[in-house]
């Protein structure tokens, strides 16, 4: 499989490294509007062909698939171009900045017969995959209550760099630069984590979003710091269960932690991804009567990168698909509407 990487910012390094590690995959081209960044990226990863526009890359055309690692608002137009050119697409999350655009992309890829998948990176957690299997197997009975959180701290700590001076962080705080804030950046991950891990679809959302004062005049250089930094959601699931989902970039002491607890009628399961480490615990059977939790073993799982390559070779999309990402985007759109209206929003 010959792969083109579109967008050569920080996350593109993960794409290049992971795809190059898969036997039979060649990263044959890179695209970026910033020539210096493009040249440095292609040199680092040994990529021979450089393009400053997607149009030039498509005119060349010597590749089978595109890894779209552009900023969020660029996903929609560039992915549609790649689909129209007959390419498979592996898109960074979110698929688009709203559900209407995401569904347009979904319908386009499904009509084309090409593979379209989205990089929900935390699906790579073996604890999540094993925990979901246990829930779906009925090991905790019917799900009744769900707690989920995604906690980061890069707005209060410098472990990933200084957000006040680095564009790769500042754009995530600015609506005009295409950001939907914590909701769009990490909210999409924890909503997917909670829904996937519990095996349930979200039916109603009541959300609160918060943007904190972070600089004089809420601005640094060209960046208006107006995107949300934290959110909470109360949700109803389709089976009648209820739950809470929250995320923030201001959780000092938490570098990158996703935690999901699923409580059922006969037991509970906890799935944690914490900065590269997965943990799975459960309270089952007789342990319910003593509130005792046991560690649950799990096996390694394939990554999204590996699943995408398998899907292209087989000609059949695997999860997480464009349609899955579009449905998660609907939840985020409803959360934004709920915050504006101070009202519950139903998923259609």
């Amino acid at each position: 499989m010959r792969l083109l990487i579109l967008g050569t910012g920080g996350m593109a390094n993960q794409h290049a490294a992971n795809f190059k590690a898969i036997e039979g995959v060649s990263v044959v081209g890179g695209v970026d509007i910033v020539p210096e960044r493009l040249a440095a990226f292609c040199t680092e990863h040994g990529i021979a062909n450089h393009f400053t526009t997607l149009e030039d890359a498509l005119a060349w055309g010597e590749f089978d698939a595109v890894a779209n690692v552009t900023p969020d608002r660029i996903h929609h137009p560039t992915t549609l171009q790649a689909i129209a050119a007959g390419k498979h697409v592996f898109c960074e999350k979110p698929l688009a900045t709203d559900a209407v655009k995401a569904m347009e992309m979904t319908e386009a890829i499904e009509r084309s017969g090409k593979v379209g998948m989205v990089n929900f990176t935390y699906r790579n957690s073996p604890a999540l995959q094993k925990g979901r299997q246990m829930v779906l197997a009925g090991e905790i009975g019917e799900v009744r209550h769900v707690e989920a959180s995604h906690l980061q701290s890069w707005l209060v700590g410098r472990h990933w760099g200084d957000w006040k001076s680095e564009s790769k962080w500042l754009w995530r705080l600015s609506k005009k630069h295409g950001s939907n804030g914590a909701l769009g950046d990490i909210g999409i991950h924890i909503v997917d984590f909670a829904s996937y891990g519990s095996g349930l679809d979200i039916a109603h959302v009541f959300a609160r979003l918060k943007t904190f004062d972070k600089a004089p005049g809420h601005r640094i250089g060209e960046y208006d710091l107006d995107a949300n930094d934290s959110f909470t959601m109360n949700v109803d699931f389709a089976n009648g269960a209820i739950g809470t989902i929250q995320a923030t970039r201001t959780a000092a002491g938490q570098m990158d932690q996703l935690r999901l607890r699923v409580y059922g009628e006969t037991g509970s399961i906890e799935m944690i991804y914490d900065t590269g480490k997965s943990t799975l615990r459960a309270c089952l059977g007789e342990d319910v009567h003593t509130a005792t939790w046991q560690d649950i073993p799990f096996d390694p799982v394939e990554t999204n990168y590996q699943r995408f390559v398998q899907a292209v070779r087989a000609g059949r999309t695997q999860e997480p698909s464009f349609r899955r990402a579009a449905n998660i985007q609907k939840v985020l759109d409803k959360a934004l509407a709920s915050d504006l209206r101070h009202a519950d929003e139903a998923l259609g």
Side-chain angles (χ1 to χ4, degrees):
M1 190 185 87
R2 301 167 302 170
L3 183 75
L4 178 85
I5 296 183
L6 174 62
T8 61
M11 190 61 188
N13 292 297
Q14 293 293 321
H15 285 249
N18 277 279
F19 279 119
K20 286 173 63 179
I22 301 172
E23 185 177 355
V25 176
S26 301
V27 180
V28 297
V31 183
D32 202 298
I33 61 173
V34 181
E36 297 81 8
R37 182 169 63 200
L38 172 65
F41 175 81
C42 290
T43 297
E44 178 179 354
H45 296 286
I47 300 171
N49 300 284
H50 312 183
F51 304 94
T52 54
T53 70
L54 177 57
E55 289 78 8
D56 286 346
L58 292 174
W60 172 61
E62 297 298 315
F63 56 94
D64 309 297
V66 176
N68 193 337
V69 203
T70 57
D72 298 355
R73 61 189 172 86
I74 308 300
H75 292 174
H76 174 259
T78 53
T79 294
L80 289 179
Q81 284 180 269
I83 294 170
K87 308 301 181 181
H88 306 283
V89 181
F90 184 70
C91 190
E92 261 304 318
K93 60 78 201 169
L95 184 57
T97 53
D98 63 65
V100 173
K101 291 186 177 70
M103 193 54 68
E104 181 184 357
M105 296 158 72
T106 298
E107 292 172 351
I109 198 76
E110 291 177 351
R111 285 194 305 268
S112 75
K114 296 297 180 179
V115 169
M117 293 174 59
V118 179
N119 193 24
F120 286 118
T121 52
Y122 301 100
R123 292 283 190 97
N124 300 333
S125 166
L128 174 67
Q129 297 292 345
K130 176 67 173 180
R132 170 182 163 86
Q133 291 174 11
M134 294 173 67
V135 172
L136 294 179
E139 294 191 34
I140 62 170
E142 184 178 359
V143 176
R144 291 178 171 172
H145 193 92
V146 175
E147 296 177 4
S149 61
H150 192 164
L151 307 177
Q152 295 184 340
S153 58
W154 56 268
L155 282 179
V156 293
R158 290 189 293 274
H159 42 268
W160 289 342
D162 181 10
W163 69 265
K164 295 180 180 180
S165 61
E166 298 183 35
S167 61
K168 68 179 181 179
W169 301 115
L170 284 167
W171 82 264
R172 297 173 187 270
L173 307 175
S174 175
K175 291 180 181 178
K176 75 178 182 182
H177 286 81
S179 177
N180 278 336
L183 181 71
D185 187 20
I186 59 178
I188 193 166
H189 281 306
I190 193 59
V191 170
D192 178 67
F193 203 86
S195 176
Y196 183 77
S198 66
L200 300 175
D201 293 326
I202 294 172
H204 294 87
V205 175
F206 184 87
R208 309 298 294 132
L209 279 63
K210 182 68 176 181
T211 305
F212 300 106
D213 295 342
K214 297 182 289 298
H218 310 287
R219 185 180 179 87
I220 294 178
E222 65 179 280
Y223 299 93
D224 296 320
L225 308 183
D226 54 356
N228 62 85
D229 302 309
S230 296
F231 74 83
T232 61
M233 290 185 202
N234 292 327
V235 300
D236 296 323
F237 292 95
N239 77 327
I242 62 172
T244 59
I245 302 175
Q246 61 176 328
T248 185
R249 295 160 165 168
T250 64
Q254 302 292 348
M255 193 173 293
D256 187 32
Q257 184 198 76
L258 289 83
R259 171 176 156 170
L260 172 63
R261 276 192 169 182
V262 184
Y263 300 97
E265 58 183 341
T266 61
S268 302
I269 292 179
E270 179 183 64
M271 309 162 220
I272 299 175
Y273 172 93
D274 195 344
T275 320
K277 180 181 178 181
S278 288
T279 305
L280 181 63
R281 303 194 310 149
C283 181
L284 304 171
E286 292 301 309
D287 286 342
V288 169
H289 305 297
T290 57
T292 301
W293 290 76
Q294 306 283 352
D295 289 333
I296 305 297
F298 46 75
D299 296 321
V301 297
E302 293 173 329
T303 66
N304 290 334
Y305 306 100
Q306 292 168 319
R307 284 193 289 271
F308 177 71
V309 173
Q310 291 172 1
V312 169
R313 289 172 175 166
R316 179 183 299 177
T317 293
Q318 294 190 32
E319 294 295 335
S321 65
F322 275 29
R323 185 163 290 276
R324 170 66 178 181
N327 287 334
I328 295 296
Q329 191 63 48
K330 289 179 183 179
V331 177
L332 303 188
D333 287 4
K334 292 296 185 181
L336 287 169
S338 173
D339 181 65
L340 289 173
R341 297 179 56 244
H342 290 198
D344 176 85
E345 291 284 335
L347 275 292

